[in-house]
Amino acid sequence: MTIDDRTPDRNLALDLVRVTEAAALAASAWIGRGQKESADGAAVNAMRSILATVPMTGTVIIGEGEKDHAPMLYNGEVIGDGTGPVADVAVDPIEGTTPTAMGRWGAMSVIAVATRGSMFFPGPIVYMDKLASGPEGIGVVALDATPRDNIRELARAKGVAPKDITVAILDRPRHADLIEEVRSAGARVRLIGDGDVSAAVLTAIDESDVDLLMGVGGSPEAVLAAAAMRCLGGQLQARLWPRDTDERDRALAQGYDLEHVFATEELVDSDNVFFAGTGITDAELLRGVRIVGGRVHTHSIVMRSRSGTIRTVRAQHQLTKLRAIQLLS
């Protein structure tokens, strides 16, 4: 069997959580310091250094991207140790650079890996309109339906009233009308400052009271969230959302269909997907990095679609040793 025939195997999961742990630890040194670029640079360097040891031949499909002026983890970069499976990779060393810099809730480090050729590349389109739900919403809610109809139908499927439904929405001026419509339908709104990957994941976590994610957020985050949903059994629907005429024209010239609603399986077309995330600052999904005495505590989640396994990993690291290997300054 050649490398090109192989897909990611079960041993990859804990390698990936080491990757997000390293990025979260590096970023944590910059929490509350008001320097987004420094935090992001530290996380990128740490993530890439550990990725170099992961047994795979991965190609970055969703990376730091042009908007980040990234010299590393850019789209198309080949990562891993050059052995093992050939794979697509999506990374966000810090999902939530502003919360990290400002010391606010909701930042984490994220990576997803899937069979080569399975991840959607959004091209020049930076944003997508999204709808995420847990398994109960499959075949029940739709991006093309109104928020009111989606709330009503999901409430019916869950056997609750619309007033018992909670919708996560990014707190942005563009969502003023959406927020009002959700409230007028009787549902609760959970405004989030950043981090719609974690909000999408929460819709499919039993312990969470978030039922839906609605609104426009980053297109790279849509692919990362779809990878998580392949593992969790939930869904993410999304449509490309050009910011201006120039972005629209470039997308059309490259053959993108701006009316198409992408299903989860189109965003990540594989049944062998890994997803890992580690908290940087505290959030509902994961606790952030904490230094207690001489120990550093991290909280991570790691999932695999093929087995349906979801692990939470609470780790302790020695502060002096992390500083010795320059993972924490």
Side-chain angles (χ1 to χ4, degrees):
M1 179 182 291
T2 66
I3 270 182
D4 289 339
D5 293 328
R6 282 149 56 187
T7 56
D9 65 27
R10 65 183 181 183
N11 297 322
L12 209 52
L14 294 180
D15 286 304
L16 296 179
V17 83
R18 288 176 49 243
V19 170
T20 55
E21 279 180 352
L25 287 164
S28 72
W30 296 93
I31 292 173
R33 299 183 184 276
Q35 299 180 49
K36 294 195 300 183
E37 292 80 8
S38 295
D40 194 51
V44 168
N45 287 333
M47 177 172 273
R48 192 169 184 271
S49 69
I50 304 300
L51 273 170
T53 71
V54 175
M56 68 175 179
T57 304
T59 299
V60 177
I61 305 301
I62 302 295
E64 284 290 90
E66 188 176 310
K67 67 181 176 63
D68 299 296
H69 308 290
M72 295 187 295
L73 297 182
Y74 55 85
N75 298 342
E77 182 177 3
V78 177
I79 55 176
D81 71 356
T83 68
V86 175
D88 282 354
V89 182
V91 298
D92 197 345
I94 302 181
E95 193 210 9
T97 52
T98 297
T100 301
M102 303 307 293
R104 297 174 183 157
W105 277 48
M108 69 175 182
S109 180
V110 189
I111 188 169
V113 172
T115 307
R116 185 73 181 104
S118 64
M119 285 184 178
F120 173 70
F121 175 60
I125 305 296
V126 175
Y127 290 104
M128 298 184 86
D129 190 14
K130 308 173 193 177
L131 175 69
S133 76
E136 302 92 342
I138 295 176
V140 173
V141 299
L143 189 60
D144 280 334
T146 66
R148 180 179 294 274
D149 286 345
N150 282 330
I151 290 164
R152 183 186 65 244
E153 294 305 315
L154 185 62
R156 181 177 296 153
K158 289 191 166 191
V160 300
K163 68 180 181 179
D164 299 314
I165 297 295
T166 298
V167 182
I169 303 173
L170 280 168
D171 188 7
R172 302 289 188 272
R174 63 179 176 265
H175 291 146
D177 290 343
L178 172 61
I179 291 166
E180 181 56 35
E181 188 168 357
V182 168
R183 287 173 173 161
S184 69
R188 295 186 293 260
V189 172
R190 176 81 58 84
L191 290 177
I192 52 177
D194 291 273
D196 65 351
V197 173
S198 57
V201 169
L202 285 172
T203 67
I205 297 289
D206 290 340
E207 296 81 5
S208 169
D209 66 346
V210 176
D211 301 286
L212 291 167
L213 168 72
M214 293 183 182
V216 174
S219 51
E221 288 79 4
V223 177
L224 281 159
M229 288 307 200
R230 292 304 303 255
C231 301
L232 290 162
Q235 68 167 337
L236 186 129
Q237 301 175 32
R239 180 190 290 115
L240 293 166
W241 193 83
R243 294 173 293 176
D244 51 37
T245 301
D246 177 65
E247 196 170 275
R248 178 184 181 86
D249 289 346
R250 284 193 291 142
L252 290 173
Q254 293 177 37
Y256 286 93
D257 183 351
L258 301 182
E259 302 303 319
H260 180 68
V261 174
F262 291 87
T264 313
E265 296 77 12
E266 293 175 287
L267 295 169
V268 182
D269 185 19
S270 172
D271 65 355
N272 199 17
V273 182
F274 295 89
F275 176 95
T278 300
I280 298 171
T281 61
D282 284 344
E284 184 175 348
L285 180 64
L286 297 168
R287 290 207 66 179
V289 176
R290 291 171 294 127
I291 300 177
V292 181
R295 298 281 181 175
V296 184
H297 300 257
T298 55
H299 185 200
S300 305
I301 187 169
V302 58
M303 304 182 274
R304 188 190 186 192
S305 64
R306 182 162 289 178
S307 62
T309 303
I310 303 168
R311 293 183 175 92
T312 56
V313 180
R314 294 183 180 271
Q316 293 185 21
H317 317 264
Q318 289 191 27
L319 180 60
T320 55
K321 291 186 176 182
L322 288 178
R323 286 177 171 160
I325 59 175
Q326 299 181 335
L327 270 180
L328 199 66
S329 58

